[in-house]
Every structure is written in C-alpha cells, then in structure tokens.
Amino acid sequence: MDDKAERPSSFVSKNEQEHIETLTTASKEAPFIPSKEEKKLVKKLNWTFMPYVCVLAFTQFLDKTLLSIVSVLPQFFIDTGISKDQYSWLGSLFYLGFLCMQLPNNILMQKFTISKYMGVILVIWGISLLCMAWAHNFSQLAALRFLLGFFEATTYPCMFLLIATMYRRAEQVVWFGVLFMSNSVAVILGGLIGAGIMQMPTVGTISPWKWAFIIFGSITTLMGFVYFFLLPDKPTSRWFRLTEDQKIIVEERCRDNAVVPTLQVNYDQIREALREPRLYCYCLISLLIELQNGALTIFSALIISDMGYDNFDSVLLTIPSGAFCFILMFASTTYSKKKGEIIWVAIGTCMISLVGLICLVAIPSGGAKLVGLYLSWGCTPTYTLMQASISSNVSGYTKKIFYTSGNLIFYTIGNFIGPLLLREKDAPRYFMGMGVYIAANAVVIVLFLYLRHSYTQANKRRHLDKNTNIVALPDDLEDITDVQNQNFVYRT
C-alpha cells in the first residue's frame, strides 16, 4: 500500500512538519537516553511482568515437547500401540489444533483482558495434558494433542502483544529474545527432567511416561489460577504501583511504540494489511523456517537415537541443543539492539541454521553429526528476530494483531508439515525432509532481503532515517497505522 496515505487531522501540515524537523534535527539524531525515573519504571516492568512471560513460554514449550521426552521410552509405544509414523502425526496434529485457534484467538484477545483470557486457557490446556496419561491408543492421543495445540495457540499472540504494549520499540527485540530463551531453558531442563522421569518407578498401571503428563498437566492447571488474578496485562496495571511521574512516562512510551490498546476491531486496518506485500513475506518466512522447527521439536531425541546412542544418552544429548540456542538467541538479540539492525542479524542466524542442516545430510553418522543438529536450531533466533521486526514495524492495534495472528497461521502450517517430511523409511539421514528444509532456509534469506529493501525505500520516501530519535505518535494517542502515520520510522 502507498505509504503516502492520508493522515489524520491531528498531524501537522507538511510545511509545519518540515519546520519542526529543521528545528529539532539535533535532538532527533541524538541517541535516546532514558531518565532515572524511566529506568525505575523499566525495572518494574522487567521484574513484575517479564517473569510471567518467561514462565509461560517455558511451560508452553515443555508441555508441547513432553511427547518427545517420553518417546525414547519403549513402554510409551507398548502402552499406546502406536507406530513411529503415527507418532509423526501426533506432532503434526498439535499444530492443526494450533491453526484452528488462530482466527477465534484473533477476536477473543481483543474482546477480553489478557490476564483473564490466559488464566482460563491455562486451566483447560493443563487438563488436556493431564488426560494424556490415560490415553490407550492413537485416536485418544490424537484428539488430546489437537486440543493441547488448540489451547496453547493463544500463548504467543498474547505475549507478543503484551511485549509490544509494555516496551519501547528499541527495547522489544531483547525481550522477544528473552521470551524465546525461555524455550531454550525448557530444552535444557527438559532433557534433565526426561532423564529423571526415566528413573521413576511404575506404580500400579502408572508407568514413568504417564507420570510426566500427570505432573506437568497439574502444574499448568494451577498456573491458570495465578495468571487469572495476578498477570499485569497493561502498562498502567495496578501491579506496577506507578508513581504520578511514571504514569506520564508510560504515556510517552506508548507514543514511542505506537500501540494504543482498544477493544474495538478496526476492519480498515485489516484491509490495509491485506494489501501489503510485506504481510505475505512474513507469513512465508514463518512457514518455511518452521518446517524444520516442527521436526526438530518432535524428532531430536529420535534423531540422536538413530546415531547409535541409547535411550538415556539420547535424552541427555538434547540438552546442548537448548544451550546453543540460548547462547545464539542472547548474542543475536543483544547485537541487534546494539547495532539497530534486525534483518541483517536474522539473515546471519538463518545461515547458521542452513549450515547445520547441510551437516545433518552430509555427515553419515556418529557424534560429529550432533554438531549439525545443534547448529540447525539457528531457526529459533531467526523466527524471534522476524517477530521483533513485525512488532517494530507494524502499527495500529488491530493491524498488529492481524499481522501476528496471520503470521502464526503460517507458523502452524510449517510446524504441521515439518514432522511429516521425516518418514520412517528415510531414517536415519532423512534426505527428502532435510533437502526441503535446506531449500526453505535459502528462500527465507531472499525474503528477508526484500523486506529490508522495502523498509529502506519507505523511510526514504518519508525523508526519515531509522537512526534518528523521533517519537512515532507526537500528538494525540490515536490508534493509527504505520501507513497513516508519516512520523513512523521503519526499523530494518
């Protein structure tokens, strides 16, 4: 869509704007330095709000990958009577449920406060996970995995929206990184937890794999009550105990991140989003980069087992995956914030992922192949940086929700298709599946290059520099889009 769309009346004329820009060039180009009071506010956000985000992301990832942890236990396949091909479908059915929830979630998260909404959802998904302990066949497992995906689908859109609401645009990339680092911690602890579960005794008909679902299902259900009553879901939440000065700072930060929450769906913003090529680029990136993520999430322990390691070692050797992903996530998001570059860094992490996939195909077997498996987790920071790009470059409350939800639909499709590409007959090297993942990574790099070019050109048309210090909403706090707002600077 043309970036020169008509602006609301609250904005000054072009001549007036040029005059203001002339007078304030020096202040714009100076790097933003927060006041002492704002630093105190950010500290409150970090310690009051972000722990909820981290715990939720940790729980969501651990709950969905619990199936991978128990898959190395022969008793799981004996008790349920499923084959490895059916096991692949269990991985995909989770994302089918994830997909089906995206449209209703898009509406519900704008109609209800996030704390109450997430609290109810957590209780229902915890019960779904708990019930998997009593599943006896593929049909029952399939139904429960679908329900688990359906309710877990609410997690990322809600957390993405809250981070975009709470933090300045320049701060968001770090906190998106922290969110996904929680997933890496789940991989690390999941391996240790899996090793512990394997040592648990069988009590009656409850074997170790059943204990896993009982324990984590119960924890998630209890979390629902905590989030319902205690989750801060807006910058002015009573849980932050804001001073009068901090309330003024909150308003100023809302101008910077250009997010003005509203409970009304703005269909004009949806139509605007549908006319933008960038929406479809982001959606394709999600689909393509998540092909391997869906497979790695479900198949990591089995891929390691195919290298010749026993069940116990296969679970423990998933731990370095989480450690590597955590380090790469921290390094990439920190570097991105320091240099003010999102897309170049995303391309770099995607290249790391690409090298890992090539190693998985090129190395026949043995411990050296583990290096390829670990490097291929570069897909996670790539996806994280893509989400940070959306959050930094899309304005308008409904439009931001629509971009995020549409993006997650394709995230879901990628995760659904990904595990199905690793067929039992292709083990242990899975040439067909790995070949598709390699091609997908190459296309993702091209799409990122297009996005960066698109944002750079848009800034040039507005005579704006992404390195300048300019407030996105200089006048009234209005729910307007990045296209309508000619002060909006795109971050590349």
Side-chain angles (χ1 to χ4, degrees):
M1 183 174 177
D2 186 1
D3 290 304
K4 297 181 180 179
E6 184 178 349
R7 293 171 293 173
S9 59
S10 62
F11 284 90
V12 297
S13 69
K14 183 175 179 63
N15 291 336
E16 290 173 319
Q17 178 64 29
E18 289 174 350
H19 179 62
I20 292 170
E21 288 176 356
T22 301
L23 292 174
T24 60
T25 296
S27 64
K28 285 181 184 178
E29 292 183 351
F32 173 76
I33 301 175
S35 64
K36 288 184 179 179
E37 195 65 27
E38 180 164 355
K39 288 179 180 178
K40 290 180 182 178
L41 170 64
V42 173
K43 190 174 181 180
K44 283 184 181 181
L45 294 175
N46 296 348
W47 290 104
T48 307
F49 164 68
M50 280 308 297
Y52 286 97
V53 172
C54 293
V55 171
L56 183 57
F58 173 90
T59 302
Q60 190 265 354
F61 193 85
L62 192 58
D63 285 358
K64 79 175 180 181
T65 56
L66 205 54
L67 191 67
S68 177
I69 293 173
V70 303
S71 69
V72 297
L73 298 172
Q75 194 63 38
F76 170 70
F77 290 94
I78 293 170
D79 289 348
T80 58
I82 66 171
S83 66
K84 285 192 177 180
D85 281 338
Q86 288 176 319
Y87 173 79
S88 297
W89 273 102
L90 292 178
S92 294
L93 284 168
F94 173 92
Y95 289 102
L96 181 60
F98 208 97
L99 175 64
C100 291
M101 183 54 166
Q102 291 309 315
L103 181 58
N105 183 54
N106 199 13
I107 298 169
L108 293 171
M109 66 190 287
Q110 194 160 359
K111 291 292 186 182
F112 299 100
T113 57
I114 300 294
S115 58
K116 304 301 181 285
Y117 180 47
M118 281 307 306
V120 172
I121 290 292
L122 276 163
V123 171
I124 301 172
W125 114 32
I127 293 171
S128 301
L129 187 67
L130 186 67
C131 289
M132 289 185 72
W134 287 275
H136 298 294
N137 53 50
F138 174 73
S139 298
Q140 293 172 353
L141 282 170
L144 289 169
R145 282 288 291 180
F146 176 88
L147 289 175
L148 187 65
F150 187 84
F151 295 114
E152 284 197 27
T154 60
T155 307
Y156 286 140
C158 289
M159 294 301 102
F160 292 160
L161 186 62
L162 286 180
I163 289 174
T165 304
M166 300 284 186
Y167 290 100
R168 289 184 182 272
R169 288 196 291 156
E171 298 166 347
Q172 290 169 17
V173 65
V174 170
W175 295 110
F176 278 117
V178 169
L179 186 157
F180 281 96
M181 275 188 257
S182 303
N183 290 351
S184 302
V185 174
V187 174
I188 296 169
L189 295 184
L192 295 172
I193 291 166
I197 287 171
M198 292 174 69
Q199 308 305 314
M200 292 182 71
T202 298
V203 180
T205 60
I206 303 178
S207 53
W209 73 267
K210 294 184 178 181
W211 279 119
F213 290 112
I214 292 170
I215 293 168
F216 289 101
S218 300
I219 291 171
T220 302
T221 302
L222 291 173
M223 279 177 57
F225 294 97
V226 175
Y227 277 66
F228 186 92
F229 293 106
L230 302 179
L231 173 67
D233 55 9
K234 56 185 177 181
T236 55
S237 171
R238 62 192 175 97
W239 299 114
F240 294 132
R241 297 182 175 86
L242 300 176
T243 64
E244 291 303 315
D245 287 343
Q246 287 174 343
K247 289 178 182 178
I248 296 171
I249 293 171
V250 164
E251 180 176 328
E252 194 258 325
R253 287 169 63 86
C254 288
R255 295 180 188 280
D256 178 63
N257 62 27
V259 177
V260 182
T262 174
L263 297 179
Q264 298 298 318
V265 177
N266 188 327
Y267 292 99
D268 287 337
Q269 293 187 9
I270 294 175
R271 284 188 284 270
E272 179 182 301
L274 288 170
R275 291 193 291 268
E276 295 180 343
R278 291 191 287 257
L279 170 66
Y280 305 101
C281 283
Y282 281 123
C283 289
L284 277 175
I285 290 171
S286 278
L287 186 152
L288 296 171
I289 203 66
E290 291 305 309
L291 290 173
Q292 74 199 64
N293 181 73
L296 291 174
T297 301
I298 298 298
F299 275 88
S300 279
L302 288 177
I303 290 173
I304 295 171
S305 179
D306 286 339
M307 295 178 193
Y309 295 96
D310 62 30
N311 293 338
F312 187 78
D313 287 341
S314 295
V315 172
L316 288 179
L317 285 170
T318 62
I319 294 174
S321 295
F324 174 76
C325 191
F326 184 95
I327 293 168
L328 186 59
M329 185 78 70
F330 176 80
S332 60
T333 53
T334 302
Y335 185 79
S336 175
K337 183 177 186 296
K338 181 179 179 180
K339 297 297 184 180
E341 291 284 353
I342 297 176
I343 294 177
W344 280 130
V345 181
I347 290 172
T349 57
C350 190
M351 286 180 173
I352 292 172
S353 169
L354 185 59
V355 171
L357 291 168
I358 292 171
C359 289
L360 280 174
V361 173
I363 301 172
S365 61
K369 194 170 184 176
L370 285 170
V371 175
L373 181 64
Y374 300 150
L375 289 177
S376 61
W377 280 100
C379 64
T380 302
T382 303
Y383 180 80
T384 304
L385 290 162
M386 185 211 62
Q387 281 295 340
S389 180
I390 291 174
S391 181
S392 296
N393 291 315
V394 179
S395 181
Y397 198 67
T398 298
K399 184 178 178 181
K400 190 180 286 285
I401 291 175
F402 186 77
Y403 252 80
T404 301
S405 298
N407 183 262
L408 282 167
I409 288 173
F410 283 83
Y411 163 96
T412 305
I413 295 171
N415 278 283
F416 177 84
I417 296 171
L420 299 179
L421 296 174
L422 300 185
R423 300 174 301 179
E424 190 171 2
K425 68 178 184 178
D426 295 331
R429 298 178 73 178
Y430 303 103
F431 281 117
M432 186 194 79
M434 294 298 171
V436 173
Y437 304 153
I438 289 170
N441 276 249
V443 175
V444 164
I445 291 171
V446 174
L447 291 170
F448 269 129
L449 290 171
Y450 168 78
L451 284 171
R452 193 177 192 285
H453 173 75
S454 173
Y455 287 133
T456 301
Q457 292 303 308
N459 284 337
K460 285 181 179 178
R461 286 194 293 272
R462 295 179 178 187
H463 306 291
L464 296 172
D465 183 344
K466 73 181 182 70
N467 296 313
T468 57
N469 178 26
I470 184 170
V471 176
L473 291 175
D475 299 302
D476 294 336
L477 281 175
E478 296 179 88
D479 181 30
I480 58 175
T481 69
D482 52 283
V483 173
Q484 294 171 317
N485 182 0
Q486 296 297 298
N487 289 281
F488 192 94
V489 182
Y490 292 106
R491 310 290 180 181
T492 61

